[in-house]
Amino acid sequence: MAIANTLDGELLRRRLRHNYGDYVAYANKPYGFYMTHFHRYLCDKIQAFLEAETGKAMDILLLSVPPRHGKSFCVTETLPSWYLGNHPDGNVIIAAYEGTFAEAFSRRNREKFNDCASDIFRVKPNLNVQGVALWETENGGRCRAAGLKAGITGYGADLFIIDDPIKNQEAAQSESIISKLHDEMGPSVQSRIHPGGKLIVIQTRWVENDVIGFIQENWREFIYEDINLPCECEDPEHDPLGRQLGDSLMGPHLGDNDLPRRICNDNTWLRSKKSLVCAGEGEYTWNALYQGHPSAKQGNLFERQWWQYYDRDQFTLDQFEYVHISVDATFKQTATSDMVAMQVTGVYKGEVYIWRLVNKRMGFVDTKAKILSVIKECGSIDELVIEDKANGSAIIDSFRYIDDAPPIVAVNPQGGKFSRAQAVASYVIAGKVHIPLERNWTEAEYKDVEWDGPIPEGCGKRLSPGEAFVQQHMRFPFAKHDDMVDADTQSLTRVIKLTTGEEPKPARRIQRYVHWYPDMWEDYDSMSPAEQERFIATYGAPLEWRDELDKIS
């Protein structure tokens, strides 16, 4: 691949140094690479991103590209070698779902650098450091490759590339794997990037809360550009390649003639491939992997028709036999963090009635204040049910010193989220869970339930708290947020334990005292204990009882 030491040869060297697309075509020629219109667009976007000076702590380029379209050739297998040729003292990190995958990308870059660098960039490799996990230039620049889940420590980066951080659908739907990836985005990614450094994430989408989803939620202000190139053109007016509706990313319609068979992803292939994927794996897989729209897949635990509805205006909380607040707590009061969920649940004649819902981003102080506000608003609260882990433990500790707080039930959940939800699903299937009618929700309650996902068709311009609750359950476990599902699962688990006698039911906390007339005393004395409890819930306890309590206290 040596370039002649002629005027034309020197002009070629300069073009390869300064034009990333030309370098990609040149360096990948031995591998049979074909530069399509789509690939050229991708290369031009990458070069513009690298050359942009924004003054921010870091810049991020997000690329959502369907599988088997040569995205790795254009980015991960080639860009580090070009970057280190132009910046021989720079630092590059390549990360993927596991170390061996990242090292394969590194190996290709090492080969291209060693083959081209001396000739094109007049830069030499450091022959003493030539491993696939780490190789260096003679000027001290280095390329490091590692698995994202394993953690990346000890190295900084001017350019950080994450390519396909999720192995497959099974991994995408694993709560523990996704949580691990999210946990690594701070210590293993953000903290590694030098001031003004560049982060490129290129992947096919599986779920809403993948790495691209995490960045869109948490690091939005640092996103330089968010590019999604669907396999099938959906919006000709805004398609960056100038495609027509239904066109593929490659083919004669874009000037890509005589495509090699292995990347002949033209319109004929597109129709056949879409039919194959949709028939075998469903439209969700097509929309997520090939179109870059991982909107939440319909779950299979909770169906819309299982939920019952009631007119909340015809009830008072005093009528319920038992009432609690279930809290799923997360304290990150940022515009994109997870949310705190609260659910006021009442039990009447063995059935569950959801009274109040909260699902919004709050810090610790606001969460505590909101719980106290809901307690004051509702009055008749028998228990405060909170998970005794992480943020929940902080709430539990703080409420131990509040005199008027209801008794706290510290929950130590067993199993994963899905198994816990599965355990209470039968209660919903049996039609024992009731949600207030749409007209029952107040404007203040609308503001207490934030919904940042797409509005389902037929739901108007905004979702009511009850509809948001149902939508989150229907999409579980595939949706980006499941806070209300967690709070509801915790709530129903507590109700089931009390109604089955697994745990003793707490005595009702009397919130209302009234003057009893003689006939009320007579009626009360003739009742069974259960009837007496309902009588007090309906009419209130006698003032004499409160006077006796005051004397005792």
Side-chain angles (χ1 to χ4, degrees), residues 338-341 358-362 370 447-450:
D338 287 338
M339 302 184 191
V340 173
V358 176
N359 191 207
K360 62 193 301 186
R361 296 171 179 87
M362 293 182 284
K370 176 56 72 173
K447 293 178 180 178
D448 271 345
V449 175
E450 298 174 354

Side-chain angles (χ1 to χ4, degrees), residues 102-369:
E103 289 171 4
F105 291 138
S106 175
R107 181 182 291 108
R108 286 287 179 93
N109 277 283
R110 184 189 63 184
E111 292 170 357
K112 292 168 186 175
F113 185 88
N114 291 348
D115 289 344
C116 303
S118 297
D119 199 7
I120 298 173
F121 304 102
R122 306 307 189 190
V123 177
K124 295 180 181 180
N126 179 355
L127 298 179
N128 294 319
V129 184
Q130 288 290 295
V132 291
L134 177 66
W135 56 270
E136 296 183 353
T137 72
E138 197 174 57
N139 302 70
R142 61 167 63 97
C143 179
R144 169 89 165 94
L148 187 59
K149 290 187 298 179
I152 303 167
T153 58
Y155 295 88
D158 302 296
L159 172 63
F160 199 125
I161 301 173
I162 300 176
D163 190 317
D164 277 340
I166 300 175
K167 183 177 182 180
N168 51 32
Q169 187 172 8
E170 181 182 1
Q173 294 174 358
S174 167
E175 179 187 338
S176 61
I177 290 177
I178 293 296
S179 178
K180 175 66 173 175
L181 286 175
H182 289 179
D183 290 343
E184 292 298 335
M185 291 303 290
S188 293
V189 178
Q190 178 270 133
S191 67
R192 303 289 110 203
I193 298 174
H194 294 157
K198 306 289 185 175
L199 170 62
I200 298 177
V201 178
I202 181 166
Q203 69 171 107
T204 50
R205 306 294 305 274
W206 283 102
V207 289
E208 288 179 322
N209 59 339
D210 56 14
V211 171
I212 284 182
F214 174 90
I215 291 172
Q216 290 170 335
E217 284 243 343
N218 295 279
W219 298 344
R220 180 171 294 278
E221 64 182 289
F222 300 102
I223 298 176
Y224 172 82
E225 196 165 4
D226 187 347
I227 299 173
N228 176 45
L229 293 169
C231 188
E232 179 181 31
C233 178
E234 304 168 310
D235 184 5
E237 185 178 350
H238 300 99
D239 189 78
L241 302 180
R243 295 181 292 169
Q244 298 301 308
L245 186 66
D247 276 350
S248 63
L249 282 169
M250 302 175 184
H253 57 284
L254 292 173
D256 305 324
N257 300 310
D258 302 320
L259 282 169
R261 179 178 295 275
R262 69 176 179 278
I263 61 164
C264 193
N265 302 335
D266 57 14
N267 284 341
T268 301
W269 168 88
L270 174 61
R271 290 190 291 271
S272 177
K273 185 67 172 181
K274 182 177 180 180
S275 176
L276 178 65
V277 172
C278 290
E281 302 168 67
E283 289 189 11
Y284 171 77
T285 298
W286 175 260
N287 288 331
L289 265 68
Y290 291 86
Q291 297 297 98
H293 305 310
S295 55
K297 180 180 177 181
Q298 178 75 28
N300 58 6
L301 264 188
F302 301 99
E303 296 185 13
R304 174 180 292 280
Q305 66 268 24
W306 295 343
W307 305 99
Q308 307 302 308
Y309 291 86
Y310 77 106
D311 188 351
R312 191 176 63 179
D313 294 341
Q314 302 302 313
F315 279 76
T316 66
L317 275 173
D318 289 336
Q319 292 175 258
F320 292 117
E321 301 154 11
Y322 165 78
V323 180
H324 71 221
I325 302 177
S326 175
V327 180
D328 178 69
T330 300
F331 311 137
K332 293 181 182 178
Q333 196 175 5
T334 65
T336 53
S337 66
D338 287 338
M339 302 184 191
V340 173
M342 302 178 196
Q343 177 176 316
V344 178
T345 302
V347 177
Y348 182 70
K349 294 185 178 179
E351 304 210 349
V352 169
Y353 293 80
I354 294 170
W355 186 268
R356 182 84 157 80
L357 292 168
V358 176
N359 191 207
K360 62 193 301 186
R361 296 171 179 87
M362 293 182 284
F364 173 79
V365 173
D366 288 338
T367 298
K368 183 178 176 181

Side-chain angles (χ1 to χ4, degrees), residues 17 50-51 53 79-92 113 121 123 135 137 139-143 158-159 198:
R17 285 197 295 266
L50 291 179
E51 293 174 351
E53 295 288 342
L79 183 57
S81 65
W82 185 76
Y83 184 86
L84 289 174
N86 281 298
H87 307 278
D89 59 347
N91 290 275
V92 179
F113 185 88
F121 304 102
V123 177
W135 56 270
T137 72
N139 302 70
R142 61 167 63 97
C143 179
D158 302 296
L159 172 63
K198 306 289 185 175

